[in-house]
Amino acid sequence: MCHKSSTTKLFIDGLIALTLATLYGPMSYADEVDALATRILPLREQARIKDQILRHRLDTVIPSIMRRAGVDAWVLIAREYNEDPVLKTMLPATWLNARRRTVLMFFDHGSDRDVERMAVARYSVTDLFPGVWDPEMQPDQYERIAALLTEFNPQRIALNFSGTYGLADGLTYSEQQSFTAALPSVLQQRIVSAQEVAVGWLETRTEMEMTYYQDVMGIAHDIIREGFTAEVIKPGVTTKEDLQWWYRQRINDLGLSPWFHTTIETERSDRSLADIEANELDPNVLYKGDHVHIDLGISYLNLHTDTQQNAYILRDNEDDVPLPLQYALSKGNELQDILTGNFVSGRTGNEILKRSIQQAQEMGIEPIIYTHPLGLHGHAAGTTIGLWDMQNGVPGTGDYPMHANTAYSIELTALVDIPEWSAKPMAMKLEEDGFFDGSDFEYIAPRQTQYHVIKSN
């Protein structure tokens, strides 16, 4: 499925829905729910797309990142149910785990022959990694690995160990010992950390991936919108935990996977807090006048989303979200713009963080920035732009430079003074996912600029 056909299908679906609404009235809540379910592809089609994306990534990303890192051999070693996290992203859709000991190797023969892929394993890893070991002819797997490396004679052999990135530190101690012992001493001296190439593989998004990412993000946003409705939230009855589990169940029923448990929080005005205390109400229940915050992430087609949005439950005498809350949301959007305006290739996350905090404070916004890479994992490898409890910079991952063709979850809080609402600053928490092409940043799906409004009977 190409992006054009997907987009065309969505357009046709929308046109049909508009026609039906004209003839028979607007779609019901149940109709909208069913429409979302039909957008999730059957597993077989999902597998085809995953493998198509993987093949394209192996063909295009691997040569680029190996040469950028100055690595001519990359060896990934894992055992069944103890997979290296990088190796796991290279397994085809029908391989849910490594089998026995699975060793994947990349040899860069130069631009004339490109990068050779192989599996030194009992089984070929489909046709993506042809098998190059016959256990019947040579029972010792590591002797075969050593023979292949000796014949290739690489100058730098990258292994997945790293003191900075957990995702690049997947080689176990025992496997590293066995691998090193099998090599001749001259090759042992050429072993280097694969951190740069491993992070490069994980952080780089291809054009093919990004066409599908739009649909993945659209589905995540629509799931949030479904839950932020009067059909799901009954003020005075529904608890925060009820709503969390509604979302968890909804994601499961759609055949999707969450990569963390959905979080629901409330921001309450001084008036609401006083009412709850005076009437001895349960603070875990959602009430009219509540600002409701969600943090939700799904995994679909091996791509992850991470989104935080906000809703407001109207009081009986209200027709719209109070202006002070709308103002707070606008300040959160301003902080997003400040941050993404500082995205520059080669600039480290710590540099971006420092510039953004300074500019925000000069504009009267008190920021907390904790933005991270996104893609094959939710909290992915790449440059870290702050942590909520580390606003002076993040050693290690914050020192890593930003690269082109990478995706980020723009996660932050703008502390906004709105005395009409509360004596304490309001914490406007936002998180939206976007793509940086090396020059420009663009949200993968439109970010939230208006509240979800919940009007109950």
Side-chain angles (χ1 to χ4, degrees), residues 236-252:
V237 177
T238 304
T239 67
K240 288 184 281 187
E241 188 176 38
D242 290 338
L243 189 55
Q244 287 175 340
W245 281 105
W246 183 92
Y247 278 111
R248 183 73 177 270
Q249 188 66 51
R250 181 64 176 136
I251 292 168
N252 182 77

Side-chain angles (χ1 to χ4, degrees), residues 27-273:
M27 291 177 67
S28 69
Y29 175 76
D31 291 333
E32 291 187 47
V33 168
D34 289 342
L36 178 55
T38 61
R39 291 167 58 186
I40 311 301
L41 298 170
L43 287 178
R44 188 171 185 176
E45 179 65 7
Q46 290 184 41
R48 186 188 70 79
I49 292 172
K50 289 178 182 179
D51 287 349
Q52 182 184 46
I53 291 173
L54 175 58
R55 185 182 299 277
H56 182 252
R57 284 179 53 78
L58 291 169
D59 289 342
T60 60
V61 177
I62 290 292
S64 173
I65 60 172
M66 287 184 67
R67 289 163 191 167
R68 186 176 78 190
V71 165
D72 48 353
W74 187 16
V75 182
L76 298 93
I77 306 169
R79 282 182 291 178
E80 194 167 1
Y81 305 124
N82 192 27
E83 287 83 0
D84 177 311
V86 178
L87 182 144
K88 196 169 179 66
T89 67
M90 296 177 175
L91 297 179
T94 54
W95 278 55
L96 303 185
N97 303 94
R99 297 177 183 173
R100 301 189 186 183
R101 178 188 290 115
T102 298
V103 180
L104 306 182
M105 300 207 299
F106 299 89
F107 290 172
D108 186 0
H109 296 278
S111 56
D112 292 341
R113 288 184 57 191
D114 217 353
V115 175
E116 181 184 9
R117 303 193 296 262
M118 65 195 79
V120 189
R122 164 66 75 171
Y123 311 103
S124 296
V125 183
T126 65
D127 63 341
L128 292 173
F129 294 89
V132 292
W133 175 49
D134 183 352
E136 309 307 324
M137 297 293 295
Q138 187 178 36
D140 192 314
Q141 188 175 9
Y142 271 115
E143 281 190 13
R144 177 57 176 158
I145 293 169
L148 289 164
L149 285 167
T150 299
E151 180 182 355
F152 180 55
N153 193 30
Q155 299 306 300
R156 299 184 80 212
I157 304 170
L159 296 180
N160 286 359
F161 58 88
S162 168
T164 302
Y165 287 96
L167 288 169
D169 195 36
L171 181 62
T172 65
Y173 178 74
S174 60
E175 294 299 327
Q176 184 173 12
Q177 282 192 313
S178 298
F179 173 81
T180 304
L183 294 185
S185 59
V186 65
L187 292 185
Q188 291 178 11
Q189 303 305 313
R190 300 177 186 176
I191 294 174
V192 298
S193 167
Q195 175 178 295
E196 187 175 349
V197 66
V199 173
W201 163 259
L202 295 175
E203 74 175 344
T204 303
R205 305 275 68 78
T206 65
E207 184 178 357
M208 181 181 294
E209 284 177 289
M210 293 313 299
T211 60
Y212 291 106
Y213 225 148
Q214 296 177 39
D215 285 342
V216 177
M217 281 304 315
I219 290 168
H221 282 188
D222 283 349
I223 292 171
I224 291 174
R225 183 178 56 82
E226 278 186 5
F228 278 159
T229 57
E231 286 81 5
V232 175
I233 297 175
K234 308 298 181 185
V237 177
T238 304
T239 67
K240 288 184 281 187
E241 188 176 38
D242 290 338
L243 189 55
Q244 287 175 340
W245 281 105
W246 183 92
Y247 278 111
R248 183 73 177 270
Q249 188 66 51
R250 181 64 176 136
I251 292 168
N252 182 77
D253 292 347
L254 286 168
L256 303 173
S257 299
W259 63 272
F260 64 90
H261 186 57
T262 301
T263 300
I264 298 293
E265 298 177 323
T266 54
E267 281 269 339
R268 288 181 166 133
S269 66
D270 288 347
R271 171 189 170 185
S272 291
L273 291 173

Side-chain angles (χ1 to χ4, degrees), residues 308-327:
Q308 294 183 41
Q309 293 190 350
N310 300 281
Y312 180 74
I313 306 176
L314 294 176
R315 295 179 182 274
D316 291 337
N317 61 343
E318 291 177 328
D319 296 318
D320 201 356
V321 179
L323 290 177
L325 296 187
Q326 296 184 41
Y327 170 77

Side-chain angles (χ1 to χ4, degrees), residues 306-364:
D306 198 357
T307 309
Q308 294 183 41
Q309 293 190 350
N310 300 281
Y312 180 74
I313 306 176
L314 294 176
R315 295 179 182 274
D316 291 337
N317 61 343
E318 291 177 328
D319 296 318
D320 201 356
V321 179
L323 290 177
L325 296 187
Q326 296 184 41
Y327 170 77
L329 178 55
S330 72
K331 302 308 284 185
N333 291 149
E334 285 183 31
L335 181 55
Q336 291 173 326
D337 293 340
I338 291 169
L339 173 59
T340 58
N342 281 309
F343 281 15
V344 175
S345 291
R347 186 176 285 173
T348 69
N350 289 336
E351 291 172 330
I352 294 170
L353 176 67
K354 183 177 180 180
R355 288 170 178 263
S356 300
I357 289 177
Q358 181 179 350
Q359 291 176 17
Q361 290 174 339
E362 289 172 354
M363 294 179 64

